[in-house]
Amino acid sequence: MTTAICSYENIRQITSCTLCNRTFKDPRILPCGHTFCIDCIRTTMLDTTIMTCPNCQAKHSVVNVDLLSQNVALMQLLHIRKIDIVQNKQCAICNVQPSITSCAHCSRQACVSCLEVHRQEVIGDIARETMEIERMNDELKQTLNQTSNDFRDQCNETFQQANKRFEEMQKNLKLLNERVCQKIQEFHDRRQTDLARCVARLHTEIQTIDKFVEDSKHLLIDVNVQTEVLLRLKQQFQEPRKRLPILSRDLIESTPTIQFVSSSFQMLNEELAGNLVLDKPIHGNNINSNGTSASGDHDSRLAALASGSRTGKMEIIGQEGCGKLEFKSPAGMTINADGHLVITEIDNNRLQILTREFTHIRTIIGFREPRDVSFTKDKRYLITDNHKLIVLDEEFHKVEVIGSNKSGKGRNMFNNPTGITIDDDDDDIIVCDTNNDRLVIISRDFKWIRDINTGIDTSPRYACIRQNTLYVTSGTKSCVLIFNKNTDQPINTIPELTLGLSIDAPKSIRCVRDLLFVTSSLSKSIFVFTIDGEYRGELRHELFARPIGILFIDDSLYVTDSDKHALFHFSGVLQ
């Protein structure tokens, strides 16, 4: 029997929160392993996302307390303790003596000694509450009487002030009326004077026109002479006009263009990981044996990638998991002010910060489904998550939230937003509101400006902007939609329908050196177009499974693959 009493006491201590010293209510586990009530965690955090564990003093970054894991084992222990107390009819107050009756006030099971103490406590509580109610009633009566007298005095004073103000306004209106009448008369006199002056000026102009007509008659006599002069001038300009196409072609050929470089890498097991190659170049049949193209220098540089004439470095970072340098469905990525990579993980509900050398810096948790991330000039992180846009400062403290956990179509509401891009000219933020078939433009201070309707069932995914031209990938149209940001009007699609080409499940899009790069998750490749819509080919790698995010930094290419749960890095791709 002694053993049972000790086990009940131990269970009571285990099932009590160390912050409130009460039985746990909805216990949640911190990353350090300690458990507290969810309400105690909220009280400890106050208005910040940083929490210090009261037990081990470890600091945690928690964006949303509701997403912390529930202590399932502790919940089961609480349930077992409750059932055991009821079945054994144990005293619910001391948990030591057997229960013989229940409290009529709160129906708690109690032994003889605890029941009497509990009744005295209840009687004392009721007496204190009764005295407090009577005291509050007296204070309320006194306050109401005083307030009624004050209100009556204030009404009388206000009425006197209103009468005085009304009399002053009547006097002011009378003076104002006299001044307005005087100004109207003065204006009428000035207009009469101006009208007379204009009439005199018109007569003078008429005389000038008559003189001009006479002079024109004499000039028309020399029309034949002027025609011969124009013919001679036309002949003089023919020669420069013929030279313009040649100069234009020379200028285009001398303009620096993008050059692709093949990339390969030996993996740890010394097996070749494969090459990043440009497949299906549009002028591939015209490439000569020496690597040049009949269509110009631009195509010859693209053909250099397909020929595999250069070798760089390729790395695959990460594997499926929840730890450091592990990923679950990585998607969007960006680079912050420190030059570190910031990667969103949809299934891990977090951001992971890595150096350019792929050293883990930090992990930010507390999201639902983060899909894309961008970094502004004023050092703010923008993350599309569930049905909202979350804004964090440089230290990942919450600054602003646009939208909510519920979808919507109105102002400051989203329905599954995906891609984010920033206009470098005016720092406007453009968000792809996928299920609402629209683009949302937000100012640099996070104020809603306007929407751009992309069309019915277009499902805009990701976007980029160049000189007020928006390029948007469509999840249902298998193409890139082009819009004018200033007029909100559609311009064209990439690729054009006449090419007979489609982008299967387009995702991220980037504009680099006048070329558009579009990831295709079904084609397992990266489509390459010029900004005018000319097809240049597809960047392929044999290990691509479902490429999503794409990022160019200097001469390096970074690609997130959601099925591989990894990050591809190709160095020396752009020259």
Side-chain angles (χ1 to χ4, degrees):
M1 185 65 184
T2 304
T3 304
I5 293 175
C6 292
S7 67
Y8 278 122
E9 180 64 22
N10 292 337
I11 291 175
R12 186 184 67 81
Q13 293 177 357
I14 293 172
T15 56
S16 297
C17 176
T18 58
L19 286 179
C20 62
N21 293 324
R22 298 177 182 175
T23 303
F24 278 107
K25 290 185 179 180
D26 194 3
R28 299 298 178 101
I29 304 175
L30 294 178
C32 61
H34 293 107
T35 303
F36 304 98
C37 299
I38 188 171
D39 292 334
C40 295
I41 295 175
R42 286 197 182 97
T43 304
T44 305
M45 288 182 61
L46 296 179
D47 295 332
T48 179
T49 58
I50 304 300
M51 177 183 179
T52 302
C53 178
N55 288 357
C56 64
Q57 302 303 314
K59 293 186 178 180
H60 308 287
S61 178
V62 181
V63 177
N64 191 341
V65 177
D66 294 328
L67 297 182
L68 291 174
S69 300
Q70 192 178 53
N71 194 329
V72 178
L74 189 57
M75 290 294 292
Q76 293 176 348
L77 184 60
L78 288 170
H79 183 65
I80 292 172
R81 176 174 176 258
K82 182 177 180 180
I83 293 175
D84 200 9
I85 290 174
V86 174
Q87 290 178 349
N88 295 305
K89 294 184 178 180
Q90 196 75 13
C91 178
I93 298 176
C94 65
N95 289 332
V96 176
Q97 299 297 328
S99 173
I100 61 171
T101 184
S102 61
C103 176
H105 179 70
C106 60
S107 301
R108 296 178 66 182
Q109 296 291 332
C111 59
V112 175
S113 59
C114 292
L115 180 62
E116 184 61 29
V117 174
H118 179 64
R119 285 176 178 175
Q120 293 301 323
E121 291 178 353
V122 171
I123 292 172
D125 292 341
I126 294 174
R128 284 192 297 271
E129 291 293 334
T130 303
M131 292 176 63
E132 181 66 19
I133 292 172
E134 291 177 352
R135 185 186 62 81
M136 292 176 63
N137 185 32
D138 294 338
E139 290 181 355
L140 182 60
K141 288 180 179 180
Q142 184 178 358
T143 303
L144 286 175
N145 292 332
Q146 184 177 358
T147 303
S148 175
N149 295 332
D150 293 342
F151 180 72
R152 188 182 300 107
D153 296 339
Q154 187 175 2
C155 288
N156 293 333
E157 183 180 356
T158 303
F159 181 74
Q160 295 176 359
Q161 293 177 355
N163 286 335
K164 183 179 179 181
R165 182 60 178 167
F166 178 73
E167 294 175 356
E168 292 177 354
M169 290 180 65
Q170 279 187 328
K171 295 179 181 178
N172 293 334
L173 286 174
K174 185 176 180 180
L175 294 175
L176 182 62
N177 184 37
E178 294 176 354
R179 292 176 183 174
V180 169
C181 293
Q182 183 180 358
K183 287 184 178 297
I184 291 174
Q185 185 62 39
E186 293 176 355
F187 178 77
H188 179 266
D189 296 340
R190 286 198 303 271
R191 297 303 296 171
Q192 288 291 342
T193 304
D194 294 339
L195 183 60
R197 192 181 298 114
C198 288
V199 170
R201 191 178 301 157
L202 282 174
H203 286 296
T204 304
E205 292 293 336
I206 291 173
Q207 294 175 359
T208 303
I209 292 172
D210 291 338
K211 186 176 182 301
F212 177 75
V213 170
E214 291 296 330
D215 295 339
S216 298
K217 289 180 181 179
H218 295 290
L219 291 174
L220 289 174
I221 298 173
D222 298 331
V223 169
N224 293 332
V225 178
Q226 299 294 334
T227 303
E228 293 178 359
V229 173
L230 289 175
L231 290 174
R232 286 198 301 270
L233 290 173
K234 183 178 180 180
Q235 292 175 358
Q236 292 176 3
F237 282 107
Q238 285 297 329
E239 186 65 23
R241 185 177 180 183
K242 293 178 180 178
R243 294 179 59 191
L244 279 176
I246 300 174
L247 291 174
S248 176
R249 185 170 61 253
D250 293 341
L251 181 60
I252 293 174
E253 292 177 356
S254 62
T255 301
T257 56
I258 192 168
Q259 175 177 337
F260 295 91
V261 179
S262 179
S263 178
S264 63
F265 177 67
Q266 292 286 341
M267 298 182 70
L268 294 178
N269 57 4
E270 296 185 355
E271 293 180 358
L272 186 63
N275 296 325
L276 180 68
V277 297
L278 181 70
D279 192 15
K280 300 179 183 178
I282 194 168
H283 299 293
N285 296 330
N286 298 330
I287 299 176
N288 301 325
S289 59
N290 59 359
T292 61
S293 171
S295 63
D297 182 64
H298 190 89
D299 293 329
S300 66
R301 294 185 181 186
L302 287 170
L305 180 59
S307 65
S309 59
R310 295 177 181 267
T311 301
K313 180 183 178 183
M314 193 278 280
E315 298 173 281
I316 301 178
I317 298 91
Q319 60 184 354
E320 184 175 3
C322 303
K324 297 179 181 179
L325 293 178
E326 294 180 341
F327 302 98
K328 276 190 178 181
S329 300
M333 56 182 163
T334 188
I335 185 170
N336 62 16
D338 298 326
H340 297 158
L341 295 172
V342 183
I343 305 171
T344 64
E345 298 180 59
I346 297 176
D347 291 341
N348 269 340
N349 312 121
R350 67 181 186 178
L351 302 180
Q352 197 166 172
I353 319 299
L354 310 177
T355 66
R356 294 279 296 278
E357 291 76 25
F358 308 112
T359 301
H360 182 269
I361 298 295
R362 191 174 182 182
T363 299
I364 309 301
I365 64 174
F367 300 95
R368 289 181 178 265
E369 291 183 350
R371 296 189 176 273
D372 198 13
V373 60
S374 187
F375 192 71
T376 65
K377 294 178 181 178
D378 53 354
K379 299 181 179 181
R380 294 288 187 267
Y381 292 94
L382 309 174
I383 303 102
T384 51
D385 181 30
N386 198 17
H387 301 300
K388 55 184 177 290
L389 175 66
I390 300 176
V391 184
L392 306 179
D393 63 12
E394 193 174 11
E395 297 299 325
F396 297 99
H397 296 149
K398 190 180 296 183
V399 176
E400 186 78 23
V401 175
I402 303 175
S404 63
N405 291 329
K406 295 183 179 180
S407 62
K409 198 173 183 180
R411 191 178 180 87
N412 293 318
M413 302 177 72
F414 294 101
N415 190 352
N416 191 24
T418 308
I420 309 171
T421 187
I422 300 175
D423 191 346
D424 292 334
D425 294 334
D426 52 17
D427 296 334
D428 282 347
I429 302 165
I430 298 97
V431 181
C432 294
D433 195 1
T434 303
N435 290 348
N436 280 333
D437 297 323
R438 65 181 180 180
L439 303 176
V440 176
I441 301 179
I442 299 172
S443 65
R444 61 180 299 177
D445 55 350
F446 314 117
K447 302 298 182 183
W448 192 283
I449 298 178
R450 69 179 191 279
D451 307 337
I452 299 178
N453 186 8
T454 58
I456 301 175
D457 295 332
T458 52
S459 297
R461 298 287 185 182
Y462 293 85
C464 67
I465 187 168
R466 181 184 181 275
Q467 296 178 354
N468 291 322
T469 301
L470 283 165
Y471 300 90
V472 185
T473 57
S474 171
T476 56
K477 302 296 183 180
S478 299
C479 65
V480 177
L481 308 174
I482 308 176
F483 295 88
N484 187 307
K485 180 193 171 188
N486 294 332
T487 62
D488 299 351
Q489 296 298 319
I491 299 176
N492 202 351
T493 62
I494 297 177
E496 295 182 359
L497 298 178
T498 56
L499 292 178
L501 178 69
S502 64
I503 308 172
D504 293 331
K507 298 296 183 183
S508 292
I509 181 170
R510 299 281 183 179
C511 182
V512 182
R513 303 183 190 176
D514 294 336
L515 286 181
L516 295 174
F517 296 84
V518 185
T519 58
S520 174
S521 59
L522 293 184
S523 297
K524 302 179 181 180
S525 63
I526 303 172
F527 282 74
V528 184
F529 300 90
T530 66
I531 58 175
D532 297 326
E534 184 178 354
Y535 175 64
R536 291 297 180 182
E538 298 178 43
L539 291 172
R540 294 185 181 274
H541 192 279
E542 61 187 39
L543 295 182
F544 281 164
R546 193 164 180 259
I548 300 293
I550 183 173
L551 181 65
F552 285 94
I553 304 175
D554 299 332
D555 66 339
S556 295
L557 167 63
Y558 299 83
V559 182
T560 56
D561 195 307
S562 63
D563 282 359
K564 286 287 185 180
H565 305 289
L567 173 66
F568 286 78
H569 171 228
F570 304 93
S571 65
V573 174
L574 301 180
Q575 298 292 334

